[in-house]
Amino acid sequence: MSLSRPTVFTKSENCPSEVPPTAGRRGTLSSEPPLSATLHEAILASSSSIRDSLPKEHHVHFETLRQEIIDFAQAHGIPRDTLSKPDALREAASKLSIPDLQQLATLLERFEHLIVKKEPWKNEETLEYAEEHYHLKEQYDSQVKLLEEVGILKEGAITGIDGHEYSVPTLEQIASRLFERRKELETKHDQGFTKLLLVPFGMSLDSLAETLKQFLIKYKESHSSFDLDINEPLWTGDGYEGADIGDSPKLVYYPQSFTKEGHGGKTKREMLEGQETPGQARGDDGRTGDNGWRGWTIHLLQPSNPELQDTETPTGFAPIPREGQGTPQGDKNPRPPLESNKSPMEYLSLLQSSQEDIDSPYHDETGLTPEDWIMAFMTHLTETGKPLDDVWNPTETESYCDLTGVFFPSSVYVPYAFWVHEDYQAILFYKDDPRSQVGFIGARFSVVV
């Protein structure tokens, strides 16, 4: 059976191959004695001394790779305990298809490289591409730092509503995905979708809302000129409380219509339990070819400084212009801006029609969720010193943001979010009629990587 040469199936007490795994390298399963059980022990150990022997900055990468291997085994019917038995793993792997065998070999070889070399394997080509086109490292490091500072990331992971831990995607994972999809994303890049946003989707919305409250209070403490209602920095209304948890959650994600019946959306728990990738959640059947980064969504949005994005790191997020005040962006397929004064149903219809039309300037875009908006708000304020969607600021012309990536079926409402300039608080409201058309309410779309 031919596959990318898996060092994990050969004897290698000291180090893996000096040549990193690539899709073009071919070989066969070796009949030599397997690698020592150290690697296999590291995969299953819940608190690994091997992980702790690595530099602290690589602990997250260790846990992410470890979980990818476990998830791969589960998805392909390989018993979990087989991962700690080299001979049994070889036997199970011999039954895989060649592409699956190559994927497993690559995962295990990268894991071995990390353990032995004490550093992640790096595909320089993908990293260079992501840096040139997205300034990825600075964006990634900045966002991970924010996630840690606000208490979302604990030892490199979040706890989902299902009680499972989900490690933050690594820089290398995101760079690889951007490189793999570079042809698909070429038009979106030209249209300015270069601003990275890491979203801990698996967390409860209540926890994220509380995080935003505490973030605003701490931001006020370090920025005395920032006007804030300390007593109520975030107002959500009763509709949001527990909206994504419980046996019958009120909120569904990625609806196909804003109707009480037949909306086509899924609850957060359904998405997590179904082990869906972000790609599957947005309807492309997971064609990205792996398990994605469960519990997280990774977005590209248009930044607040599009004119500088080719030479400087993108910062903040572009505002939603009022009707007639936007500027198209992109040379290859100019994208008319999403302007206000359309109903949520119109925005959703635009999204749906563009998915089947590869020539649409909105192709491959999706609506935002409350989780997306909370992370975007904290990122925007940190990077620009200004609140996102500051609607009634006399010096700005911005709009409320309809969150068309979610829906409240029982009440038939679409939520929206904004910053109240006069009251100095963020608002997550949930009572926008899908048919309503308001001059100062618009929508913001993103590209899910």
Side-chain angles (χ1 to χ4, degrees):
M1 181 177 288
S2 180
L3 75 165
S4 296
R5 187 178 67 80
T7 62
V8 293
F9 295 119
T10 62
K11 186 175 181 179
S12 176
E13 294 291 343
N14 296 317
C15 66
S17 167
E18 293 299 325
V19 182
T22 64
R25 210 165 79 233
R26 309 290 290 180
T28 59
L29 277 174
S30 172
S31 59
E32 298 179 46
L35 181 70
S36 70
T38 301
L39 173 65
H40 305 277
E41 175 189 349
I43 294 172
L44 289 186
S46 59
S47 180
S48 174
S49 60
I50 297 174
R51 177 201 61 199
D52 295 340
S53 70
L54 300 173
K56 188 174 181 180
E57 63 267 26
H58 300 326
H59 287 190
V60 172
H61 188 61
F62 176 96
E63 293 295 352
T64 300
L65 271 179
R66 172 181 169 274
Q67 192 60 49
E68 279 193 72
I69 295 168
I70 292 172
D71 289 345
F72 179 94
Q74 181 181 358
H76 292 82
I78 299 175
R80 185 184 175 102
D81 61 355
T82 300
L83 295 173
S84 64
K85 302 172 182 177
D87 290 336
L89 180 58
R90 180 191 286 116
E91 174 64 23
S94 69
K95 300 175 183 178
L96 295 173
S97 67
I98 290 177
D100 288 341
L101 189 55
Q102 290 174 336
Q103 185 177 349
L104 176 60
T106 299
L107 284 171
L108 290 170
E109 191 164 15
R110 289 171 61 198
F111 196 55
E112 182 187 5
H113 182 98
L114 176 64
I115 291 171
V116 176
K117 295 293 189 180
K118 309 294 185 185
E119 64 179 11
W121 169 75
K122 295 180 179 179
N123 184 329
E124 296 299 335
E125 184 179 15
T126 64
L127 290 172
E128 288 174 3
Y129 173 85
E131 193 60 30
E132 178 183 354
H133 290 82
Y134 297 95
H135 302 273
L136 186 65
K137 187 176 189 307
E138 185 175 347
Q139 290 206 72
Y140 178 85
D141 289 347
S142 174
Q143 296 228 351
V144 169
K145 180 182 178 182
L146 175 62
L147 288 162
E148 291 173 338
E149 287 178 346
V150 300
I152 289 175
L153 269 187
K154 295 183 171 98
E155 296 186 357
I158 61 168
T159 300
I161 62 167
D162 54 3
H164 295 159
E165 289 192 352
Y166 297 102
S167 297
V168 64
T170 65
L171 173 69
E172 289 77 14
Q173 283 179 304
I174 299 173
S176 294
R177 183 70 64 86
L178 291 171
F179 183 78
E180 290 165 3
R181 296 192 64 207
R182 61 192 182 281
K183 292 298 183 184
E184 299 171 64
L185 296 175
E186 185 177 0
T187 296
K188 307 318 292 183
H189 181 276
D190 180 59
Q191 293 170 346
F193 286 85
T194 60
K195 178 58 185 171
L196 183 72
L197 184 66
L198 309 182
V199 179
F201 171 79
M203 283 182 66
S204 76
L205 193 47
D206 287 346
S207 295
L208 273 177
E210 182 61 30
T211 298
L212 176 55
K213 288 180 184 178
Q214 298 306 316
F215 164 81
L216 285 166
I217 292 171
K218 290 180 181 178
Y219 188 86
K220 170 65 175 176
E221 291 173 354
S222 58
H223 299 78
S224 58
S225 61
F226 178 65
D227 293 319
L228 177 69
D229 180 350
I230 295 294
N231 296 319
E232 196 170 33
L234 170 66
W235 188 86
T236 60
D238 297 335
Y240 268 107
E241 186 175 355
D244 60 341
I245 59 177
D247 295 333
S248 300
K250 295 175 282 188
L251 194 64
V252 297
Y253 293 80
Y254 306 107
Q256 301 303 303
S257 67
F258 292 139
T259 56
K260 182 173 290 190
E261 304 295 337
H263 52 74
K266 293 188 177 182
T267 67
K268 183 177 290 187
R269 185 172 292 275
E270 284 176 332
M271 293 178 65
L272 294 175
E273 288 180 350
Q275 300 181 10
E276 295 185 0
T277 68
Q280 288 170 326
R282 69 175 187 271
D284 71 359
D285 298 323
R287 288 193 295 269
T288 49
D290 60 22
N291 286 331
W293 22 71
R294 291 176 56 200
W296 292 81
T297 45
I298 312 300
H299 299 260
L300 294 173
L301 293 99
Q302 292 176 313
S304 60
N305 60 338
E307 71 283 356
L308 301 175
Q309 66 181 19
D310 290 335
T311 56
E312 297 182 9
T313 301
T315 58
F317 301 93
I320 302 168
R322 298 289 177 90
E323 185 177 21
Q325 298 183 14
T327 303
Q329 193 164 346
D331 296 324
K332 299 174 182 177
N333 186 0
R335 179 185 184 273
L338 284 180
E339 297 178 337
S340 65
N341 203 29
K342 287 184 174 63
S343 71
M345 291 181 68
E346 288 178 283
Y347 290 122
L348 184 63
S349 176
L350 181 61
L351 279 173
Q352 291 177 329
S353 63
S354 69
Q355 295 313 305
E356 302 300 325
D357 180 7
I358 61 174
D359 294 323
S360 168
Y362 307 103
H363 182 66
D364 211 21
E365 297 181 26
T366 188
L368 297 191
T369 70
E371 293 87 346
D372 301 334
W373 191 86
I374 288 173
M375 290 308 308
F377 185 94
M378 291 192 292
T379 301
H380 188 84
L381 184 57
T382 299
E383 294 180 349
T384 69
K386 299 178 181 179
L388 184 66
D389 300 329
D390 186 1
V391 181
W392 304 117
N393 189 330
T395 64
E396 307 286 347
T397 306
E398 301 188 21
S399 307
Y400 292 14
C401 182
D402 266 328
L403 302 175
T404 55
V406 291
F407 178 53
F408 287 94
S410 60
S411 56
V412 196
Y413 284 137
V414 178
Y416 58 92
F418 59 101
W419 174 261
V420 184
H421 187 77
E422 299 90 341
D423 296 333
Y424 312 121
Q425 63 180 181
I427 300 289
L428 279 172
F429 205 46
Y430 65 99
K431 289 188 176 181
D432 194 9
D433 186 316
R435 299 161 298 180
S436 66
Q437 184 175 332
V438 181
F440 50 81
I441 300 181
R444 181 180 284 108
F445 294 169
S446 77
V447 175
V448 178
V449 178

